[in-house]
Amino acid sequence: MSAPLSPRTIGPFTVKAIGLGCMNLSHAYLPRPEPAQAERLLGHALDIGVDFFDTAALYGFGANEELLGRTLMHRRDDFVLASKCVLGGKDGKRGIDGSPQAITATLEDSLRRLNVDHIDLYYLHRLDPNVPIEESVGALVRAVEAGKIGAIGLSEMSATTLRRAHAVHPIAAMQTEYSPWSRNAEVAVLDACGELGVGFVAFSPVARGVLAGGVGPEGVQEGDVRASMPRFHPPHLPHNLQLAAAFGRIAADAGCTMAQLSLGWVLSRRPYVLAIPGTTSTAHLDEDMATLAIDLSAETLAAVDALFTFEAVSGPRYPRAAQAQIDTETWDGEPLE
């Protein structure tokens, strides 16, 4: 099964099927690495051939972009750089502003923090319900024309919004959570991406650590963003860990790790899917990238499908407030509170 692990096309760029999501080096997950550890991880990623790095203005309220800016840019020609706007921080609080003025200002800040004059792929991180998507995309079209970004992406948006955006300017990528335990993209967005020639970037492809064996019955520590997500609390967590244990048995039978099975399953879904797992560990990064050489059988992939039906996982993907900030489709019967 070589096709799912072939290089991916994202707009004008060709990259490996697995890149690096950089969020948890500065934001959201705990424990957070010391700066020196984060810098070593990024340097190691370059050394082993990672060629797609994904950050955002939100992550660490700019700290993640600054980390990449001081760590990676001496090898700028070796990778595709992606960042995001609209969802950001002000006075230490998270907020959404998709106005053209805010997008333009955020882009200038991102360029400065990243220590570059051009970002390859720049996403609208979320849909601002108060601003027509056409206006937000228009601001990025002007940035393309000014040579400040190379391609436009969207994140956590619906197929309908994708089509509206694509009518203004070709969209290079749609980024959405996708793993065996979060399959909302299969409702409509994956097919829309295929129809329009849009790359699909899967974040949290190992189910926020659950399908890498990284979450136990104690859950996650207070302050970790996952602590606010219902799936990580009773009564949902014990059920979900039973699913993860069954998933681990499938991985063992296939001769790979849980993370590799989850990544391999995600990459098998469409030839235009790129996965961006995040990690603070060089050993885990090596494990993730080794997935590119693993041949999963049709029987193994079918076993994952049978285990993780849409209804299998217990609990909503997001708490109510976070769910209200995303535009992605839900499946019939999906719990939302």
Side-chain angles (χ1 to χ4, degrees):
M1 184 175 293
S2 59
L5 304 183
S6 61
R8 273 26 181 179
T9 298
I10 303 292
F13 311 108
T14 299
V15 295
K16 292 183 175 69
I18 297 175
L20 181 65
C22 299
M23 179 190 74
N24 61 348
L25 297 176
S26 311
H27 189 81
Y29 289 9
L30 296 175
R32 203 156 294 146
E34 292 296 324
Q37 179 186 349
E39 291 170 7
R40 284 194 297 272
L41 186 283
L42 291 170
H44 181 72
L46 279 177
D47 289 343
I48 65 172
V50 174
D51 59 4
F52 185 95
F53 291 82
D54 182 279
T55 182
L58 174 69
Y59 302 160
F61 300 123
N64 197 248
E65 289 181 326
E66 290 176 348
L67 170 66
L68 271 62
R70 68 175 181 266
T71 306
L72 300 180
M73 300 312 156
H74 65 292
R75 292 176 58 180
R76 184 65 188 85
D77 293 340
D78 292 347
F79 62 92
V80 170
L81 174 65
S83 192
K84 310 178 193 72
C85 59
V86 175
L87 185 59
K90 185 176 182 181
D91 300 326
K93 295 183 179 180
R94 167 172 157 157
I96 289 177
D97 190 342
S99 68
Q101 297 87 346
I103 289 171
T104 299
T106 301
L107 173 58
E108 292 300 324
D109 288 341
S110 291
L111 291 168
R112 174 181 51 79
R113 289 190 293 255
L114 287 162
N115 194 29
V116 296
D117 58 13
H118 176 89
I119 297 171
D120 298 315
L121 174 62
Y122 204 55
Y123 298 89
L124 301 175
H125 205 159
R126 292 290 188 273
L127 176 66
D128 185 340
N130 299 313
V131 180
I133 188 65
E134 292 82 0
E135 292 185 18
S136 297
V137 172
L140 294 188
V141 173
R142 291 187 286 277
V144 171
E145 293 169 347
K148 295 184 178 182
I149 65 175
I152 297 173
L154 308 177
S155 178
E156 289 278 55
M157 298 190 197
S158 66
T160 298
T161 301
L162 171 59
R163 294 181 194 283
R164 287 175 57 187
H166 197 76
V168 176
H169 186 277
I171 301 301
M174 172 67 81
Q175 182 175 146
T176 291
E177 181 177 0
Y178 190 41
S179 73
W181 93 331
S182 291
R183 298 178 63 167
N184 299 67
E186 295 176 14
V187 174
V189 163
L190 271 179
D191 288 341
C193 287
E195 176 188 334
L196 299 173
V198 176
F200 183 90
V201 180
F203 78 81
S204 296
V206 297
R208 300 185 183 275
V210 172
L211 297 186
V215 177
E218 71 283 356
V220 297
Q221 69 186 82
E222 196 64 32
D224 188 302
V225 71
R226 294 169 293 180
S228 69
M229 297 176 178
R231 292 180 177 184
F232 290 85
H233 290 283
H236 307 297
L237 182 61
H239 170 85
N240 294 334
L241 290 179
Q242 289 180 357
L243 288 174
F247 182 83
R249 291 191 288 272
I250 298 173
D253 289 343
C256 64
T257 69
M258 292 174 66
Q260 289 167 344
L261 177 58
S262 193
L263 287 167
W265 180 90
V266 166
L267 295 175
S268 76
R269 305 306 289 177
R270 302 289 193 281
Y272 46 86
V273 173
L274 163 69
I276 52 166
T279 183
T280 62
S281 162
T282 56
H284 290 166
L285 179 59
D286 290 343
E287 175 189 334
D288 291 344
M289 296 305 291
T291 307
L292 296 172
I294 292 175
D295 185 23
L296 295 173
S297 69
E299 291 76 17
T300 295
L301 296 172
V304 175
D305 274 346
L307 177 65
F308 281 102
T309 61
F310 275 74
E311 300 83 5
V313 178
S314 181
R317 183 159 75 100
Y318 283 123
R320 183 189 293 270
Q323 181 68 34
Q325 291 187 335
I326 64 172
D327 180 50
T328 49
E329 290 86 0
T330 57
W331 45 269
D332 289 343
E334 180 175 355
L336 298 177
E337 55 182 61

